[in-house]
Amino acid sequence: MAGRNGRTVRDLRRANRTAVLQRLYFDGPLSRFELGPATGLSSGSVSNVVADLVADGLVEEAGSVDSDGGRPRTLLRVAPGSGHLVGVDVGETRVRIELFDLSLTELARTERPLVQGRYDVEVIVGHIRDGIAEVLAAADVAPERLLGVGIGVPGIVERTPDRGAVVHGQTIGWDAVPLEALLRSPAGPPAGLDQGGEGAGLPDTVSYFIDNGALTLGQAEMWFGGGRGARNAVVVLFGSGVGACLVTPEVEHGRAVEWGHLTVRVRGRRCRCGALGCLEAYAGAESLLQRWREEGGHPPRGTDEETALTAMLAAAYPPEGGTADPVALAVLEETAEYLGAGLSDLINLFQPERILIGGWAGLQLGAGFLPAVRRHAAAYALRHPAEKVTIDLGRLGPDAVTVGAAILPLADFFTRGGRRPEPTPQGPQPTWRAVLEERSPH
């Protein structure tokens, strides 16, 4: 039966379960007494919801605390082992797959390197399939225990009714790649999985949640890292290329912005996307190393970008008593100016409270690189918004994209009130964006 506002009793129960699960997840452990004011539910409703969640194995006891003159109050928490999540980072140098329990504690991981400059769709789909099989086998977790698979990818992600998530990754040569449909295709289970199901050997109730890698990085930092408590923030992904995730009151769930393709120099360097003068043509790790080579530097041959950038930093900033490579130092200093100028555009446009820099290259450049970036950002930005923003490194390290990807099915789990999705002929439709608009973990 639907009420005057159109909500059914089932909707109300699901909303109450969601409220209790979220408060226990972000603020727990809590007692039943504390859950009342935290959720706005009556004590009777709290008791009923908690009883249901305990019966479903989603909530468990976590000790007790003394009360004022009465019996000790039992503390409750979300049971970490009541579900599992996979996070995938489709980077530009490797594919990383991690398995988490419900508390986002890592249980297993694997990585598949990519040949530089080659992003064959079939290869990456195979890496994802095999990686999921490997981490499930390593942790002895049955595929049926998965709540979902979250995947962060480079490029723009479009959701279509017939093919699911489609990726437009111009810089890696992906033109409308139906990644979700490819993962769901009945190609047979990968090695190590002999269970039934389709696609990557998973049951058809398992959802794939695919979005831009900068957005998944941003979600991780906003939920668990340096963005907690901020209403206006920008999280920057600085890797082979550069991207950003914008979070404001108007787009609380986060929005990926193609920041790397702002024009910073008219008739400038050719970017991977084909345009001239993009920020990414100056500030991405790939272009940074190319510029070092073009100016007469000597990046190590036959190594990946991460190893080459480490060598560049060592050349520019040698141990005490060493001689700095002036070419490497000049390129890094110029990169700091371009990056600062690019951040000034974000400051002027969105006036964020915080800017967080993550991604493997951003973290590798580290705290020593930040003072120059901050100085240039302040010089190019309007004074008033520049005085109100802080610029720091992200706090979650190199795994932030996979953690953020795993947040996508976790958010869907919350919006369903902890219920697993029902199987449908086309597979379940992700609803994570609605969850991220409603949640308030800060």
Side-chain angles (χ1 to χ4, degrees), residues 263-271 274-279 281-282 338:
T263 302
V264 294
R265 190 166 181 174
V266 176
R267 294 187 294 275
R269 291 175 58 85
R270 180 77 62 183
C271 178
L276 296 175
C278 293
L279 174 63
Y282 296 90
Y338 276 112

Side-chain angles (χ1 to χ4, degrees), residues 294-371:
E294 291 166 4
E295 294 296 327
H298 302 284
R301 297 184 180 277
T303 61
D304 59 26
E305 285 183 358
E306 297 185 34
T307 303
L309 184 57
T310 299
M312 184 179 187
L313 289 169
Y317 307 110
E320 188 174 351
T323 302
D325 177 346
V327 176
L329 185 59
V331 171
L332 284 169
E333 288 177 345
E334 185 182 43
T335 300
E337 182 168 6
Y338 276 112
L339 189 58
L343 292 180
S344 75
D345 290 332
L346 297 175
I347 293 169
N348 290 342
L349 286 170
F350 305 116
Q351 301 179 29
E353 303 166 44
R354 301 177 199 173
I355 293 177
L356 299 170
I357 299 176
W360 67 265
L363 297 174
Q364 200 164 328
L365 290 170
F369 193 66
L370 277 182

Side-chain angles (χ1 to χ4, degrees), residues 33 39 88 90 111 141 186 246 251 285 313 316 335 389 427 435:
F33 179 79
T39 60
V88 179
V90 179
E111 291 191 2
V141 171
L246 168 70
V251 285
L313 289 169
T335 300
V389 68
V435 186

Side-chain angles (χ1 to χ4, degrees), residues 20-36:
V20 170
L21 282 170
Q22 287 184 327
R23 290 283 60 82
L24 286 177
Y25 193 87
F26 292 111
D27 302 326
L30 297 171
S31 67
R32 291 172 177 80
F33 179 79
E34 293 170 312
L35 277 170

Side-chain angles (χ1 to χ4, degrees), residues 145-210:
R145 298 291 299 164
L146 276 184
L147 298 174
V149 176
I151 304 172
V153 296
I156 298 169
V157 179
E158 176 188 15
R159 179 116 201 129
T160 65
D162 54 339
R163 297 190 295 171
V166 173
V167 182
H168 304 270
Q170 187 167 326
T171 60
I172 61 172
W174 284 19
D175 182 14
V177 170
L179 184 58
E180 181 176 352
L182 290 172
L183 288 168
R184 287 193 177 281
S185 65
L193 278 184
D194 55 5
Q195 293 87 348
E198 61 178 47
L202 303 179
D204 60 5
T205 54
V206 173
S207 297
Y208 291 94
F209 301 81
I210 302 171

Side-chain angles (χ1 to χ4, degrees), residues 396-407:
L396 297 182
D399 295 337
V401 173
T402 47
V403 172
I407 284 175

Side-chain angles (χ1 to χ4, degrees), residues 55-67:
D56 290 345
L58 298 176
V59 168
E60 63 185 15
E61 294 185 0
S64 62
V65 292
D66 293 334
S67 61

Side-chain angles (χ1 to χ4, degrees), residues 361-408:
L363 297 174
Q364 200 164 328
L365 290 170
F369 193 66
L370 277 182
V373 173
R374 292 185 184 117
R375 184 173 66 253
H376 291 303
Y380 284 103
L382 293 171
R383 183 172 60 254
H384 180 70
E387 289 173 346
K388 294 181 175 294
V389 68
T390 60
I391 302 174
D392 292 297
L393 293 178
R395 296 181 185 174
L396 297 182
D399 295 337
V401 173
T402 47
V403 172
I407 284 175
L408 307 185

